Amino acid sequence: MSWRKIPMKFPGTCVVCNEKIEVNEIGLWAKGLGVKHEKCAQTNELQCIVCRSSAGCSQCEFQDTCDIQRVSQLCICKKCSEENNSFNSYQISVKKNFPPLNLNS
């Protein structure tokens, strides 16, 4: 899925930093994923969708094949992935943070 650079016609919330993106501000938009600031698209570290801390990109087993600029913000850190019911926590966080993905709700 590719992110498109657009001037915001409506206010939004960045899927990376959870800060507001104002009307007429330039944002990056992807259908079904939401919007993010241009500066947030240039990050070298993703946030964990569950705990919102660093996802640990520099230690990730997929580091060699992952293109951080193109992936969604749906990563999970090692700590959260190893907890009991991690998949349930992941699902709850995705539903909370990405309402457009709630197709069966």
Side-chain angles (χ1 to χ4, degrees):
M1 190 162 309
S2 105
W3 292 87
R4 294 182 184 182
K5 190 178 200 177
I6 61 166
M8 298 297 292
K9 293 183 180 180
F10 305 97
T13 303
C14 178
V15 298
V16 176
C17 69
N18 284 328
E19 298 290 323
K20 283 282 193 190
I21 303 176
E22 301 297 335
V23 173
N24 293 323
E25 187 177 344
I26 299 297
L28 298 172
W29 170 83
K31 184 177 181 177
L33 294 178
V35 294
K36 59 184 172 181
H37 296 104
E38 285 184 286
K39 67 178 188 223
C40 291
Q42 297 173 11
T43 184
N44 291 327
E45 185 72 35
L46 299 173
Q47 280 185 329
C48 172
I49 189 71
V50 177
C51 69
R52 306 309 269 170
S53 66
S54 169
C57 295
S58 61
Q59 293 87 31
C60 180
E61 63 189 282
F62 301 108
Q63 181 183 12
D64 294 338
T65 57
C66 178
D67 183 349
I68 291 176
Q69 303 303 322
R70 293 183 173 256
V71 299
S72 70
Q73 301 301 311
L74 302 177
C75 287
I76 186 170
C77 70
K78 192 78 162 173
K79 179 182 162 222
C80 290
S81 70
E82 291 174 345
E83 289 182 0
N84 289 338
N85 298 318
S86 60
F87 185 65
N88 188 42
S89 297
Y90 182 84
Q91 286 179 311
I92 290 168
S93 295
V94 168
K95 285 180 181 181
K96 177 180 155 197
N97 292 295
F98 294 93
L101 297 179
N102 297 329
L103 302 175
N104 296 324
S105 297

XYZ file of all heavy atoms in Angstrom:
819
model
N 0.856 -1.165 0.000
C 0.000 0.000 0.000
C 0.900 1.226 0.000
O 1.847 1.310 0.758
C -0.863 -0.031 1.245
C -1.932 0.994 1.223
S -3.254 0.665 2.401
C -3.678 -1.016 2.045
N 0.594 2.210 -0.828
C 1.474 3.359 -0.916
C 0.838 4.580 -0.246
O -0.364 4.784 -0.289
C 1.817 3.623 -2.373
O 1.165 4.702 -2.913
N 1.675 5.366 0.390
C 1.244 6.583 1.071
C 1.273 7.731 0.074
O 2.241 7.897 -0.652
C 2.173 6.873 2.244
C 2.043 5.876 3.343
C 2.706 4.688 3.453
C 1.179 5.949 4.471
N 2.303 4.031 4.592
C 1.371 4.780 5.244
C 0.257 6.886 4.932
C 0.689 4.534 6.428
C -0.421 6.645 6.110
C -0.208 5.481 6.839
N 0.192 8.518 0.038
C 0.087 9.648 -0.887
C 0.207 10.959 -0.122
O -0.420 11.141 0.911
C -1.258 9.641 -1.606
C -1.436 8.480 -2.524
C -2.752 8.593 -3.223
N -2.965 7.419 -4.053
C -4.010 7.246 -4.819
N -4.970 8.150 -4.836
N -4.124 6.171 -5.543
N 0.964 11.876 -0.681
C 1.142 13.198 -0.087
C -0.056 14.065 -0.493
O -0.310 14.244 -1.695
C 2.446 13.793 -0.610
C 2.902 15.017 0.062
C 4.230 15.430 -0.564
C 4.999 16.330 0.328
N 6.292 16.669 -0.245
N -0.801 14.575 0.500
C -1.995 15.379 0.217
C -2.107 16.550 1.194
O -1.660 16.458 2.335
C -3.288 14.538 0.318
C -3.462 13.980 1.734
C -3.320 13.431 -0.723
C -4.850 13.423 2.007
N -2.732 17.662 0.755
C -3.088 18.711 1.713
C -4.353 18.246 2.440
O -5.297 17.774 1.811
C -3.356 19.943 0.840
C -3.654 19.392 -0.515
C -2.998 18.043 -0.617
N -4.374 18.350 3.739
C -5.498 17.855 4.534
C -6.741 18.721 4.316
O -6.699 19.930 4.478
C -5.118 17.832 6.010
C -3.957 16.921 6.335
S -4.291 15.188 5.999
C -5.521 14.886 7.239
N -7.835 18.079 3.942
C -9.117 18.774 3.788
C -9.900 18.750 5.094
O -10.794 19.551 5.304
C -9.936 18.134 2.679
C -9.323 18.315 1.309
C -10.200 17.738 0.238
C -9.535 17.934 -1.116
N -10.339 17.400 -2.193
N -9.562 17.810 5.962
C -10.195 17.660 7.272
C -9.090 17.429 8.294
O -8.049 16.887 7.958
C -11.149 16.461 7.278
C -12.187 16.511 6.206
C -12.001 15.822 5.012
C -13.337 17.260 6.374
C -12.953 15.868 4.014
C -14.297 17.321 5.373
C -14.106 16.622 4.191
N -9.321 17.800 9.557
C -8.305 17.497 10.566
C -8.203 15.995 10.768
O -9.172 15.260 10.570
C -8.820 18.196 11.832
C -10.274 18.420 11.602
C -10.486 18.473 10.117
N -7.037 15.548 11.142
C -6.831 14.121 11.367
C -5.845 13.894 12.496
O -5.319 14.840 13.075
N -5.597 12.627 12.794
C -4.639 12.255 13.827
C -3.583 11.352 13.205
O -3.918 10.369 12.537
C -5.345 11.523 14.986
O -6.376 12.365 15.508
C -4.370 11.183 16.091
N -2.343 11.681 13.415
C -1.222 10.923 12.868
C -1.186 9.521 13.467
O -1.259 9.359 14.679
C 0.080 11.661 13.162
S 1.556 10.803 12.590
N -1.076 8.509 12.608
C -1.045 7.123 13.071
C 0.303 6.746 13.692
O 0.409 5.697 14.309
C -1.389 6.120 11.930
C -2.785 6.355 11.408
C -0.368 6.179 10.804
N 1.303 7.608 13.568
C 2.615 7.339 14.138
C 2.742 7.970 15.524
O 3.059 7.304 16.497
C 3.756 7.840 13.224
C 5.114 7.636 13.862
C 3.694 7.162 11.866
N 2.456 9.280 15.623
C 2.695 10.003 16.880
C 1.415 10.353 17.635
O 1.475 10.883 18.738
C 3.493 11.270 16.604
S 2.587 12.547 15.679
N 0.263 10.096 17.044
C -1.047 10.402 17.645
C -1.290 11.885 17.861
O -2.153 12.266 18.645
C -1.255 9.649 18.968
C -1.576 8.200 18.735
O -2.191 7.839 17.744
N -1.147 7.358 19.642
N -0.544 12.751 17.189
C -0.750 14.201 17.259
C -1.682 14.625 16.124
O -1.813 13.943 15.117
C 0.589 14.937 17.138
C 1.565 14.617 18.246
C 1.150 15.180 19.591
O 0.607 16.303 19.621
O 1.368 14.493 20.607
N -2.315 15.785 16.302
C -3.237 16.316 15.301
C -2.507 16.707 14.022
O -1.369 17.173 14.058
C -3.966 17.551 15.827
C -5.069 17.229 16.782
C -6.250 16.759 16.000
C -7.490 16.710 16.874
N -8.566 16.053 16.212
N -3.197 16.528 12.903
C -2.770 17.066 11.617
C -3.887 18.019 11.212
O -5.045 17.612 11.099
C -2.579 15.979 10.544
C -1.569 14.929 11.021
C -2.130 16.601 9.226
C -1.388 13.767 10.057
N -3.553 19.291 11.062
C -4.554 20.332 10.833
C -4.951 20.435 9.357
O -4.227 19.982 8.470
C -4.014 21.683 11.315
C -3.643 21.709 12.778
C -4.813 21.472 13.724
O -5.966 21.746 13.357
O -4.564 21.002 14.846
N -6.103 21.059 9.128
C -6.589 21.339 7.773
C -5.527 22.170 7.044
O -4.903 23.053 7.638
C -7.935 22.109 7.824
C -8.368 22.558 6.440
C -9.005 21.249 8.468
N -5.306 21.878 5.780
C -4.327 22.511 4.889
C -2.882 22.101 5.164
O -1.994 22.449 4.410
C -4.446 24.040 4.889
C -5.746 24.485 4.282
O -6.243 23.903 3.324
N -6.335 25.530 4.861
N -2.630 21.376 6.231
C -1.278 20.859 6.483
C -1.046 19.695 5.520
O -1.966 18.952 5.191
C -1.173 20.377 7.934
C 0.212 19.968 8.353
C 0.280 19.561 9.819
O -0.638 19.858 10.593
O 1.279 18.921 10.179
N 0.170 19.530 5.064
C 0.494 18.412 4.177
C 0.644 17.156 5.030
O 1.322 17.147 6.042
C 1.798 18.670 3.395
C 1.664 19.902 2.509
C 2.184 17.446 2.556
C 0.605 19.793 1.418
N -0.035 16.108 4.627
C 0.045 14.826 5.317
C 0.206 13.699 4.318
O 0.030 13.887 3.110
N 0.544 12.546 4.796
C 0.618 11.351 3.953
C -0.576 10.484 4.298
O -0.834 10.206 5.470
C 1.929 10.606 4.201
C 3.192 11.389 3.858
C 4.418 10.650 4.329
C 3.273 11.664 2.379
N -1.309 10.048 3.302
C -2.550 9.291 3.482
C -2.458 7.954 2.763
O -1.912 7.862 1.663
C -3.719 10.096 2.927
C -4.998 9.335 2.840
C -5.895 9.117 3.840
C -5.540 8.684 1.685
N -6.959 8.378 3.378
C -6.767 8.096 2.057
C -5.103 8.533 0.366
C -7.550 7.370 1.175
C -5.890 7.814 -0.518
C -7.102 7.248 -0.103
N -2.987 6.905 3.385
C -3.097 5.590 2.753
C -4.496 5.056 3.054
O -4.922 5.046 4.218
C -2.037 4.629 3.265
N -5.178 4.636 2.032
C -6.536 4.119 2.184
C -6.563 2.982 3.201
O -5.796 2.038 3.125
C -7.049 3.625 0.832
C -8.491 3.164 0.876
C -8.978 2.753 -0.498
C -10.430 2.323 -0.405
N -10.976 1.975 -1.703
N -7.463 3.113 4.165
C -7.629 2.088 5.179
C -6.652 2.157 6.341
O -6.823 1.460 7.328
N -5.613 2.986 6.221
C -4.623 3.105 7.290
C -4.649 4.452 7.979
O -4.286 4.557 9.131
C -3.223 2.835 6.754
C -2.962 1.420 6.279
C -1.549 1.300 5.730
C -3.175 0.428 7.405
N -5.053 5.490 7.288
C -5.132 6.814 7.891
C -4.097 7.763 7.340
O -3.677 7.659 6.193
N -3.691 8.720 8.186
C -2.757 9.766 7.782
C -1.598 9.842 8.760
O -1.701 9.403 9.900
C -3.451 11.146 7.696
C -4.478 11.179 6.587
C -4.053 11.552 9.024
N -0.500 10.415 8.274
C 0.647 10.667 9.140
C 1.359 11.912 8.662
O 1.238 12.314 7.504
C 1.589 9.466 9.190
C 2.173 9.019 7.868
C 3.002 7.759 8.061
C 3.456 7.170 6.739
N 4.233 5.938 6.932
N 2.083 12.554 9.584
C 2.893 13.719 9.244
C 4.019 13.314 8.300
O 4.490 12.177 8.358
C 3.548 14.312 10.504
C 2.598 14.854 11.504
N 2.288 14.187 12.665
C 1.901 15.999 11.516
C 1.449 14.913 13.370
N 1.187 16.022 12.705
N 4.470 14.249 7.497
C 5.631 13.979 6.647
C 6.847 13.626 7.493
O 7.586 12.705 7.183
C 5.963 15.196 5.775
C 5.031 15.410 4.622
C 5.487 16.559 3.751
O 5.339 17.713 4.160
O 6.026 16.271 2.659
N 7.046 14.355 8.601
C 8.209 14.097 9.460
C 8.135 12.712 10.090
O 9.151 12.071 10.302
C 8.347 15.174 10.535
C 7.238 15.156 11.542
C 7.401 16.202 12.626
C 6.361 15.963 13.656
N 5.616 16.857 14.251
N 6.926 12.239 10.371
C 6.766 10.923 10.975
C 7.031 9.806 9.969
O 7.365 8.690 10.348
C 5.372 10.771 11.580
S 5.114 11.813 13.028
N 6.890 10.101 8.703
C 7.157 9.111 7.663
C 8.651 8.867 7.502
O 9.057 7.848 6.962
C 6.566 9.562 6.336
N 9.457 9.781 8.013
C 10.901 9.675 7.859
C 11.571 9.032 9.070
O 12.769 9.089 9.223
C 11.480 11.053 7.584
C 10.951 11.621 6.292
C 11.362 13.050 6.072
O 12.199 13.587 6.774
N 10.766 13.676 5.077
N 10.779 8.411 9.902
C 11.315 7.780 11.109
C 12.063 6.500 10.769
O 11.770 5.841 9.781
C 10.191 7.486 12.113
O 10.769 6.960 13.302
C 9.203 6.472 11.580
N 13.035 6.168 11.587
C 13.770 4.918 11.418
C 13.376 3.909 12.481
O 13.998 2.874 12.613
C 15.274 5.171 11.466
C 15.747 5.926 10.253
O 15.218 5.767 9.174
N 16.726 6.773 10.445
N 12.361 4.254 13.257
C 11.905 3.392 14.345
C 10.383 3.492 14.440
O 9.829 4.575 14.496
C 12.531 3.856 15.663
C 12.224 2.987 16.840
C 12.954 1.651 16.795
O 14.093 1.582 16.316
O 12.368 0.658 17.239
N 9.728 2.359 14.417
C 8.271 2.332 14.531
C 7.865 2.188 15.994
O 8.650 1.754 16.823
C 7.701 1.166 13.722
C 7.982 1.214 12.222
C 7.524 -0.079 11.571
C 7.309 2.412 11.586
N 6.616 2.561 16.277
C 6.063 2.371 17.612
C 5.336 1.041 17.663
O 4.729 0.618 16.679
C 5.043 3.452 17.929
C 5.608 4.753 18.362
C 4.503 5.712 18.775
O 3.401 5.669 18.247
N 4.795 6.575 19.722
N 5.349 0.421 18.835
C 4.564 -0.788 19.058
C 3.096 -0.396 19.106
O 2.727 0.552 19.797
C 4.986 -1.436 20.378
S 3.927 -2.810 20.881
N 2.248 -1.084 18.378
C 0.821 -0.783 18.343
C 0.171 -1.036 19.701
O -0.829 -0.416 20.032
C 0.110 -1.582 17.218
C -1.331 -1.125 17.027
C 0.140 -3.066 17.485
C -1.475 0.219 16.412
N 0.747 -1.895 20.527
C 0.150 -2.243 21.821
C 0.568 -1.263 22.912
O -0.272 -0.629 23.543
C 0.508 -3.694 22.227
C -0.056 -4.030 23.601
C -0.006 -4.681 21.185
N 1.866 -1.104 23.149
C 2.334 -0.288 24.283
C 2.788 1.116 23.881
O 3.080 1.928 24.731
C 3.443 -1.006 25.041
S 5.000 -1.135 24.121
N 2.881 1.380 22.585
C 3.272 2.677 22.033
C 4.735 3.040 22.287
O 5.148 4.153 22.017
C 2.368 3.813 22.529
C 0.891 3.606 22.305
C 0.544 3.232 20.906
N 0.253 4.416 20.098
C 0.105 4.370 18.796
N 0.209 3.244 18.154
N -0.163 5.442 18.122
N 5.526 2.120 22.803
C 6.959 2.381 22.946
C 7.646 1.952 21.645
O 6.985 1.525 20.702
C 7.531 1.641 24.148
O 7.481 0.251 23.941
N 8.943 2.033 21.600
C 9.689 1.645 20.414
C 9.410 0.184 20.054
O 9.375 -0.677 20.926
C 11.187 1.823 20.676
O 11.934 1.216 19.654
N 9.219 -0.062 18.773
C 8.978 -1.443 18.322
C 10.272 -2.251 18.265
O 10.233 -3.462 18.101
C 8.302 -1.438 16.957
N 11.397 -1.586 18.395
C 12.677 -2.296 18.403
C 13.180 -2.640 17.019
O 13.767 -3.700 16.809
N 12.987 -1.737 16.069
C 13.368 -2.002 14.679
C 14.838 -2.396 14.521
O 15.157 -3.260 13.717
C 13.055 -0.795 13.812
S 11.291 -0.435 13.693
N 15.706 -1.772 15.298
C 17.138 -2.052 15.132
C 17.515 -3.469 15.572
O 18.554 -3.982 15.179
C 17.979 -1.026 15.895
O 17.685 -1.079 17.274
N 16.660 -4.115 16.382
C 16.920 -5.492 16.809
C 15.952 -6.491 16.175
O 15.959 -7.667 16.519
C 16.792 -5.617 18.336
C 17.837 -4.879 19.125
C 17.439 -3.437 19.387
O 16.268 -3.136 19.511
N 18.402 -2.550 19.443
N 15.105 -6.044 15.277
C 14.061 -6.891 14.697
C 14.644 -7.972 13.782
O 15.582 -7.724 13.021
C 13.079 -6.032 13.897
S 11.736 -6.972 13.142
N 14.061 -9.146 13.852
C 14.522 -10.245 13.001
C 14.254 -9.995 11.519
O 14.834 -10.640 10.656
C 13.852 -11.556 13.440
C 12.339 -11.548 13.294
C 11.669 -12.751 13.926
O 11.696 -13.817 13.308
O 11.136 -12.598 15.034
N 13.358 -9.040 11.204
C 13.029 -8.723 9.818
C 13.732 -7.454 9.337
O 13.421 -6.932 8.276
C 11.517 -8.556 9.656
C 10.753 -9.789 10.051
C 10.009 -9.810 11.216
C 10.785 -10.928 9.265
C 9.301 -10.941 11.600
C 10.093 -12.067 9.629
C 9.350 -12.082 10.801
N 14.684 -6.952 10.100
C 15.361 -5.702 9.791
C 15.949 -5.675 8.377
O 15.862 -4.665 7.691
C 16.457 -5.446 10.818
C 17.211 -4.161 10.597
C 18.347 -3.983 11.589
O 18.713 -4.910 12.294
N 18.901 -2.793 11.626
N 16.514 -6.772 7.936
C 17.159 -6.808 6.623
C 16.180 -6.728 5.459
O 16.542 -6.288 4.375
C 18.014 -8.068 6.478
C 19.201 -8.077 7.424
O 19.617 -6.991 7.885
O 19.701 -9.172 7.727
N 14.942 -7.145 5.680
C 13.967 -7.151 4.582
C 12.864 -6.112 4.750
O 12.081 -5.903 3.835
C 13.318 -8.541 4.447
O 12.709 -8.888 5.692
C 14.351 -9.590 4.055
N 12.779 -5.459 5.897
C 11.720 -4.495 6.170
C 12.054 -3.133 5.568
O 13.159 -2.632 5.729
C 11.509 -4.343 7.685
S 10.261 -3.134 8.126
N 11.098 -2.543 4.889
C 11.233 -1.184 4.372
C 10.362 -0.291 5.256
O 9.159 -0.169 5.040
C 10.792 -1.122 2.919
C 10.978 0.250 2.293
O 11.263 1.225 3.032
O 10.824 0.359 1.070
N 10.952 0.313 6.273
C 10.204 1.082 7.273
C 9.350 2.170 6.635
O 8.262 2.469 7.117
C 11.169 1.682 8.329
C 11.759 0.557 9.176
C 10.463 2.694 9.213
C 12.785 1.016 10.181
N 9.818 2.766 5.559
C 9.060 3.840 4.911
C 7.766 3.333 4.258
O 6.839 4.094 4.035
C 9.914 4.543 3.852
C 11.195 5.117 4.404
C 10.967 6.098 5.536
O 10.028 6.877 5.532
N 11.827 6.055 6.530
N 7.681 2.052 3.971
C 6.518 1.508 3.278
C 5.595 0.669 4.151
O 4.459 0.426 3.787
C 6.947 0.668 2.081
C 7.574 1.493 1.008
C 7.913 0.608 -0.183
N 8.362 1.425 -1.275
C 7.614 1.708 -2.333
N 6.425 1.216 -2.458
N 8.086 2.473 -3.291
N 6.079 0.213 5.297
C 5.242 -0.657 6.126
C 4.203 0.150 6.880
O 4.332 1.346 7.066
C 6.078 -1.498 7.133
C 7.040 -2.403 6.422
C 6.791 -0.615 8.133
N 3.168 -0.539 7.320
C 2.129 0.116 8.109
C 2.618 0.309 9.531
O 3.687 -0.154 9.904
C 0.867 -0.737 8.116
O 1.077 -1.896 8.885
N 1.822 0.958 10.333
C 2.156 1.207 11.734
C 1.593 0.101 12.620
O 1.177 0.336 13.733
C 1.603 2.564 12.158
C 2.130 3.704 11.331
C 3.648 3.813 11.383
O 4.214 3.798 12.467
N 4.293 3.923 10.251
N 1.570 -1.122 12.141
C 0.959 -2.222 12.871
C 1.976 -3.177 13.469
O 1.680 -4.332 13.705
C -0.010 -2.981 11.953
C -1.128 -2.157 11.339
C -1.979 -2.999 10.394
C -1.998 -1.520 12.403
N 3.181 -2.688 13.759
C 4.208 -3.539 14.355
C 3.966 -3.726 15.846
O 3.277 -2.941 16.481
C 5.595 -2.927 14.136
S 6.152 -3.073 12.445
N 4.561 -4.769 16.390
C 4.476 -5.062 17.818
C 5.897 -5.315 18.317
O 6.704 -5.938 17.621
C 3.547 -6.273 18.093
C 3.341 -6.490 19.593
C 4.051 -7.521 17.403
C 2.244 -7.506 19.914
N 6.203 -4.800 19.510
C 7.548 -4.988 20.055
C 7.715 -6.411 20.586
O 6.741 -7.134 20.806
C 7.840 -3.964 21.154
S 6.927 -4.181 22.688
N 8.950 -6.805 20.792
C 9.267 -8.149 21.265
C 8.616 -8.427 22.624
O 8.049 -9.490 22.840
C 10.796 -8.297 21.357
C 11.267 -9.693 21.554
C 11.209 -10.434 20.253
C 12.068 -11.674 20.311
N 11.887 -12.490 19.130
N 8.683 -7.454 23.536
C 8.117 -7.626 24.875
C 6.615 -7.915 24.804
O 6.136 -8.869 25.423
C 8.360 -6.371 25.712
C 7.793 -6.444 27.102
C 8.036 -5.128 27.846
C 7.114 -5.047 29.034
N 6.531 -3.754 29.217
N 5.877 -7.119 24.042
C 4.423 -7.326 23.923
C 4.089 -8.623 23.194
O 3.112 -9.286 23.522
C 3.756 -6.143 23.217
S 3.736 -4.632 24.207
N 4.910 -8.987 22.210
C 4.636 -10.212 21.448
C 4.852 -11.476 22.273
O 4.298 -12.527 21.964
C 5.486 -10.271 20.180
O 6.838 -10.489 20.495
N 5.642 -11.358 23.342
C 5.927 -12.530 24.163
C 5.006 -12.655 25.381
O 5.098 -13.623 26.120
C 7.392 -12.495 24.615
C 8.340 -12.714 23.446
C 9.800 -12.555 23.820
O 10.104 -11.999 24.896
O 10.642 -12.979 23.003
N 4.105 -11.690 25.579
C 3.179 -11.753 26.709
C 2.047 -12.737 26.424
O 1.758 -13.043 25.270
C 2.588 -10.369 26.979
C 3.587 -9.400 27.567
C 2.976 -8.039 27.868
O 1.767 -7.847 27.628
O 3.721 -7.178 28.351
N 1.411 -13.221 27.506
C 0.222 -14.063 27.349
C -0.859 -13.244 26.652
O -0.983 -12.051 26.897
C -0.299 -14.536 28.712
C 0.625 -15.550 29.342
O 1.409 -16.204 28.662
N 0.540 -15.683 30.650
N -1.625 -13.871 25.818
C -2.713 -13.217 25.079
C -2.214 -12.060 24.209
O -2.916 -11.069 24.032
C -3.811 -12.723 26.029
C -4.446 -13.865 26.783
O -4.720 -14.920 26.221
N -4.672 -13.666 28.076
N -1.005 -12.166 23.684
C -0.448 -11.081 22.876
C -1.281 -10.815 21.623
O -1.472 -9.656 21.250
C 0.999 -11.377 22.490
O 1.092 -12.567 21.732
N -1.812 -11.868 21.008
C -2.616 -11.658 19.807
C -3.901 -10.901 20.148
O -4.311 -10.003 19.405
C -2.943 -12.980 19.110
C -3.661 -12.791 17.805
C -3.045 -12.176 16.735
C -4.964 -13.222 17.647
C -3.705 -11.984 15.526
C -5.635 -13.051 16.452
C -5.007 -12.429 15.392
N -4.499 -11.209 21.277
C -5.708 -10.505 21.714
C -5.389 -9.028 21.974
O -6.147 -8.141 21.557
C -6.286 -11.164 22.972
C -7.617 -10.594 23.350
O -8.473 -10.353 22.513
N -7.800 -10.362 24.644
N -4.286 -8.750 22.650
C -3.869 -7.361 22.909
C -3.619 -6.626 21.604
O -3.979 -5.459 21.448
C -2.590 -7.332 23.749
O -2.800 -7.903 24.999
N -2.996 -7.313 20.656
C -2.722 -6.736 19.342
C -4.027 -6.376 18.630
O -4.180 -5.271 18.121
C -1.903 -7.733 18.514
C -1.515 -7.234 17.147
C -0.388 -6.448 16.984
C -2.268 -7.566 16.023
C -0.011 -5.986 15.735
C -1.900 -7.112 14.772
C -0.778 -6.329 14.629
O -0.416 -5.869 13.387
N -4.977 -7.297 18.624
C -6.261 -7.046 17.965
C -6.992 -5.856 18.589
O -7.530 -5.010 17.874
C -7.161 -8.277 18.047
C -6.747 -9.391 17.128
C -7.668 -10.591 17.271
O -7.941 -11.041 18.379
N -8.137 -11.091 16.149
N -7.010 -5.777 19.907
C -7.678 -4.681 20.605
C -7.024 -3.346 20.239
O -7.712 -2.365 19.954
C -7.657 -4.916 22.135
C -8.582 -6.085 22.488
C -8.048 -3.654 22.893
C -8.419 -6.604 23.912
N -5.701 -3.314 20.208
C -4.977 -2.087 19.880
C -5.219 -1.653 18.445
O -5.387 -0.463 18.170
C -3.477 -2.273 20.116
O -3.221 -2.484 21.475
N -5.239 -2.596 17.527
C -5.500 -2.254 16.122
C -6.911 -1.687 15.979
O -7.112 -0.662 15.328
C -5.291 -3.474 15.196
C -5.828 -3.204 13.799
C -3.815 -3.841 15.137
N -7.890 -2.313 16.607
C -9.269 -1.810 16.530
C -9.379 -0.406 17.113
O -10.090 0.438 16.583
C -10.218 -2.758 17.256
C -10.492 -4.021 16.494
C -11.443 -4.927 17.252
C -11.699 -6.204 16.475
N -12.627 -7.078 17.189
N -8.672 -0.164 18.210
C -8.720 1.131 18.881
C -8.032 2.216 18.049
O -8.540 3.319 17.914
C -8.058 1.015 20.247
C -7.974 2.305 21.013
C -7.288 2.067 22.352
C -6.647 3.341 22.854
N -5.685 3.089 23.894
N -6.866 1.902 17.498
C -6.053 2.897 16.809
C -6.339 3.047 15.319
O -5.951 4.045 14.724
C -4.570 2.584 17.017
C -4.152 2.788 18.449
O -4.180 3.905 18.949
N -3.797 1.721 19.135
N -6.989 2.060 14.729
C -7.276 2.106 13.296
C -8.739 1.747 13.033
O -9.030 0.685 12.468
C -6.352 1.149 12.527
C -4.917 1.562 12.565
C -4.069 1.065 13.546
C -4.415 2.458 11.649
C -2.744 1.449 13.601
C -3.079 2.849 11.696
C -2.249 2.342 12.670
N -9.684 2.613 13.422
C -11.111 2.316 13.237
C -11.505 1.909 11.806
O -12.381 1.070 11.651
C -11.813 3.596 13.664
C -10.843 4.295 14.548
C -9.472 3.893 14.080
N -10.848 2.466 10.750
C -11.235 2.029 9.407
C -11.027 0.535 9.147
O -11.609 -0.032 8.241
C -10.335 2.853 8.475
C -9.952 4.038 9.285
C -9.861 3.549 10.696
N -10.174 -0.111 9.954
C -9.909 -1.534 9.753
C -10.943 -2.427 10.460
O -10.904 -3.625 10.312
C -8.509 -1.888 10.260
C -7.354 -1.199 9.537
C -6.027 -1.615 10.162
C -7.354 -1.514 8.059
N -11.861 -1.828 11.190
C -12.878 -2.587 11.920
C -14.038 -2.954 10.979
O -15.124 -2.431 11.077
C -13.416 -1.794 13.103
C -12.353 -1.513 14.126
O -11.437 -2.302 14.289
N -12.455 -0.396 14.809
N -13.781 -3.884 10.126
C -14.773 -4.260 9.122
C -15.909 -5.091 9.704
O -17.015 -5.082 9.186
C -14.096 -5.025 7.984
C -12.969 -4.254 7.282
C -12.282 -5.145 6.268
C -13.492 -2.996 6.632
N -15.653 -5.837 10.769
C -16.681 -6.714 11.333
C -17.249 -6.195 12.648
O -17.849 -6.926 13.399
C -16.096 -8.111 11.560
C -15.696 -8.762 10.257
O -16.363 -8.573 9.243
N -14.616 -9.509 10.267
N -17.032 -4.920 12.962
C -17.508 -4.372 14.240
C -18.803 -3.641 14.066
O -19.157 -3.132 13.094
C -16.478 -3.437 14.832
O -15.312 -4.156 15.109
